[in-house]
Amino acid sequence: MSEATQDPVEEQRFSRDDWYGEEITGRHYVRCEFHEVDFSEAVVRNSVFTDCGFGNVRFNASRHLDSSFAGCAFKRCNFFDAEFTGCKLVGATFAECELRPLRVIGGDWSFAGMAGADLRSVSFQGVRMREADLTGADCGGAVFADVDLSAAMLHAVKLPRAELRGSDLSALDPLNAELAGAIVSPEQAAVLVTSLGLQVRA
């Protein structure tokens, strides 16, 4: 992931700014607050947001490429049809956000907080999500393909009809998750069976 090239903007507040459709490239924001800002259809490229707060921000149909939102807090934000490619959201938290339909391709979302989130039919592909908090999240019909979910918090997670092939499911307790119709590989099935204390023999 490329780093931002501009000098950082620190501890500023942006309220009701209209960044609709903007090309945001190489910017760097540190501990800034964004309230009711419109990022709809914006393209955010090679930019860094560190420990920033986003409240009631619209990210509808926005595209985020090789950018970082590490340690950022999102509250009541709308990510309808947003896409993140090769982005870093380590430790980011999402509260009361609209996250559907969201597409994430590559990048690092480790330690991200999405407990109780509505993630139905969202798509994570090739994403690092170590120790992410998905406690009680509704992931029905979602895609977690080749995702590193090792040590993730998955208690009471709902994964009916989810596509899980290629992902690390070592942290998943089948007795404390909803898995009806989920799609897994034979190797993953063996991991889940072993976690139930069963032995697979020919």
Side-chain angles (χ1 to χ4, degrees):
M1 187 190 74
S2 302
E3 292 295 328
T5 56
Q6 297 182 10
D7 291 336
V9 175
E10 299 188 31
E11 299 181 352
Q12 287 196 21
R13 180 183 175 90
F14 300 87
S15 182
R16 299 186 178 179
D17 288 31
D18 184 2
W19 292 0
Y20 180 93
E22 279 201 22
E23 288 271 351
I24 300 168
T25 302
R27 299 188 194 175
H28 191 183
Y29 298 92
V30 180
R31 296 184 300 279
C32 291
E33 296 290 329
F34 298 84
H35 290 277
E36 297 184 16
V37 176
D38 190 358
F39 279 87
S40 298
E41 298 191 29
V43 177
V44 180
R45 192 188 311 270
N46 297 327
S47 294
V48 175
F49 299 79
T50 304
D51 298 328
C52 293
F54 297 83
N56 293 297
V57 172
R58 294 181 295 282
F59 290 99
N60 307 54
S62 58
R63 300 292 177 264
H64 306 267
L65 307 165
D66 300 317
S67 295
S68 173
F69 294 84
C72 291
F74 300 91
K75 186 170 184 179
R76 291 192 295 273
C77 295
N78 194 323
F79 291 89
F80 179 83
D81 201 30
E83 183 172 287
F84 290 82
T85 303
C87 292
K88 181 178 180 180
L89 283 89
V90 174
T93 59
F94 298 83
E96 302 174 59
C97 292
E98 173 58 62
L99 296 166
R100 307 172 55 215
L102 173 70
R103 293 181 301 282
V104 181
I105 303 168
D108 192 347
W109 288 52
S110 297
F111 304 98
M114 291 179 281
D118 184 353
L119 297 172
R120 288 173 296 163
S121 300
V122 302
S123 176
F124 290 91
Q125 299 183 44
V127 185
R128 182 181 173 92
M129 298 183 73
R130 291 178 60 87
E131 299 191 53
D133 187 358
L134 293 169
T135 303
D138 187 349
C139 305
V143 173
F144 288 88
D146 301 311
V147 173
D148 181 359
L149 287 165
S150 54
M153 288 172 270
L154 302 172
H155 182 76
V157 67
K158 300 177 181 66
L159 292 163
R161 304 173 308 286
E163 166 63 77
L164 304 174
R165 284 178 291 186
S167 295
D168 185 332
L169 302 179
S170 56
L172 181 62
D173 179 358
L175 295 177
N176 286 301
E178 185 179 326
L179 296 168
I183 302 169
V184 298
S185 68
E187 293 79 12
Q188 290 171 312
V191 170
L192 295 174
V193 167
T194 301
S195 70
L196 290 171
L198 302 177
Q199 296 183 20
V200 180
R201 297 181 180 177

